Amino acid sequence: MLRASVVPVVVLGAALGLTACGGGSGGSAADGSGLTGTGISVAGNLGTNAGASTGTDTGGNSGTATDTNVGPGTGTTSNADSSGSDTGQGGSGSESNAGTDAETGNGSNEGTSTSDTVCPDLSRCVDFTALRIAKYKDNKRAAASYTFDDGYATSTAIASIFEKAGVRATFYIIPGIIRADGWSMWKTLAGKGHEIGNHSMTHPDFRNTVLSDQQLDAEINGAQRLIEQKLGIRPQTFAFPYHLYSDRALKVAQQNHVAVRKMNLGDPGYQFAFFDTDHGTDLAGTLVTVNRQLDEAVKAGGWFVAGGHGIDGDGWSPVTTEFLQKHLAYAAQYSSALWTDTFANVSRYRLCRDMVKAEVLLPSSTQANVHLTGTYDPAVCNAPMTVTVPVSIPSGATLRTKTVDGTEVATSVSAGTAFFSLRPGDKVSLQVVPATKTTR
Ligand SMILES: [Zn+2]
């Protein structure tokens, strides 16, 4: 599932002479000392510049530079054969070099800068051919989701157990049996980030072939509409009562829901864990079983989905507060490998990673633009995805990721792989800069 498509737009060759076009209007330059002329000129301007400039600097060198940067950036002039550099600061504007270069390459410039010497050819420090959308958010190895059906009274207590562990759960509710005064607790839980999912209007057995198309619509879509009307949030996922359904019912559920919870996905890494005593001998045995399933999911880089009901005597085959706490304590050992989130959030990520593509554009030899594109439903793929890329960055340097408006994007590097978040449709620029440049 390789998603990187690398399209080098402009790779600037070494131009004889210095042709700096750093910042456009409003730019300022801090020149390095000892400029001798031969070098690479790279310019990144805020705004859109397209054009070629030819210049002769006062040091007697002449050269040509092409500037086709679109978007943000600070301009940088890199001189391969000298220690000098020209760093332009921002500024929108047009190219202003026409025969005369702003750079005076006479070797008498003051100030030093090393920004150009860190990674003069970015593609040698960052392997853009291996740029990917991570399997799971934050480059985690596996995912886990916790779902609880039927909307029992202890749902609030369950939610708070998960909140204490920094986790959000999914509650599949049956809107047809919720009383007028029963909606406020679901509104509260939704407000805390838990997912309120659709468990049908009246909890029928969906294998029943007697159910007409109209009844299926009322049970599935009607329930979705009622929940949306009451909570102001449209349920994104559906769970069939008893895990039972006909093909016809499944089709209806898939029409308006991002995902349908199932016991099996045909994915070997998928583990559906029953948080009840009906599928095991006792609670202690069930805990051992579900923890082992979590081990398997993490090992396989898969998805662990728990399915429970109420707790502490409430609801069908309930587990206990202690059971949940013990499981969460066990799961904590995997915190660096496991992304735990609602069923909807993990479902959406899994869907979108197959539809969204990461594209790389190299407007210059020191900057890359990464863009998430592809054919996807923007209403579904509207959460940030994690982009990973292998890096080999010189010591004392760091990979800087910025949005189009110049906002720094948190970028982690672990075991030779850099990763950062990017929303489908959005674009960031990547540069390798001296580490001191990013610390304030
Ligand atoms: Zn149920």
Side-chain angles (χ1 to χ4, degrees), residues 156-169 192 194 321 324-325 328-329 332:
T156 299
I158 293 171
S160 77
I161 293 167
F162 281 90
E163 285 160 25
K164 279 176 192 133
V167 170
R168 295 297 176 267
K192 288 179 174 175
H194 299 285
T321 295
L324 293 182
Q325 288 171 337
L328 287 170

Side-chain angles (χ1 to χ4, degrees), residues 150-151 153 173-186 201 226 230-231:
D150 305 344
I173 63 172
I174 311 162
I177 63 166
I178 297 174
R179 290 195 215 135
D181 62 356
W183 286 97
S184 64
M185 79 177 263
W186 300 115
M201 192 68 92
L226 181 54
K230 296 290 187 183
L231 301 181

Side-chain angles (χ1 to χ4, degrees), residues 21-24 42-49 67-76 88-93 361-364 366-371 400-409 426-431:
C21 41
V42 178
N45 294 321
L46 208 64
T48 304
N49 296 315
D67 181 7
T68 55
N69 295 299
V70 177
T74 53
T76 303
Q89 292 297 322
S92 61
L361 297 174
L362 302 171
S364 78
T366 58
Q367 187 191 324
N369 293 334
V370 175
H371 180 215
R400 181 194 272 173
T401 311
K402 280 182 163 186
T403 61
V404 171
D405 63 12
T407 309
E408 201 98 18
V409 175
D426 284 359
K427 186 167 88 173
V428 287
S429 70
L430 268 60
Q431 277 183 303

Side-chain angles (χ1 to χ4, degrees), residues 334-355:
Y334 294 124
S335 61
S336 64
L338 195 60
W339 171 37
T340 307
D341 209 331
T342 61
F343 188 84
N345 285 347
V346 177
S347 295
R348 288 192 307 164
Y349 193 99
R350 287 169 57 98
L351 272 172
C352 297
R353 73 187 182 193
D354 291 336
M355 296 189 285

Side-chain angles (χ1 to χ4, degrees), residues 148-152 172 174 199 203 239-243 261 308-309:
F148 296 88
D149 294 7
D150 305 344
Y152 289 106
Y172 286 110
I174 311 162
H199 198 38
H203 209 271
F240 281 105
Y242 321 106
H243 301 280
R261 190 196 62 187
H309 293 81

Side-chain angles (χ1 to χ4, degrees), residues 145-150 170-172 198-199 203 236-245 250 253-254 257-265 270 272-274 303 305-309 343 347:
S145 301
Y146 295 88
T147 70
F148 296 88
D149 294 7
D150 305 344
T170 297
F171 296 93
Y172 286 110
N198 184 0
H199 198 38
H203 209 271
Q236 295 182 62
T237 69
F238 185 87
F240 281 105
Y242 321 106
H243 301 280
L244 301 173
Y245 51 89
L250 179 61
Q254 286 171 331
H257 295 85
V258 169
V260 173
R261 190 196 62 187
K262 292 177 178 174
M263 285 188 292
N264 194 332
L265 291 184
Y270 184 75
F272 189 86
F274 290 98
W303 186 17
V305 175
H309 293 81
F343 188 84
S347 295

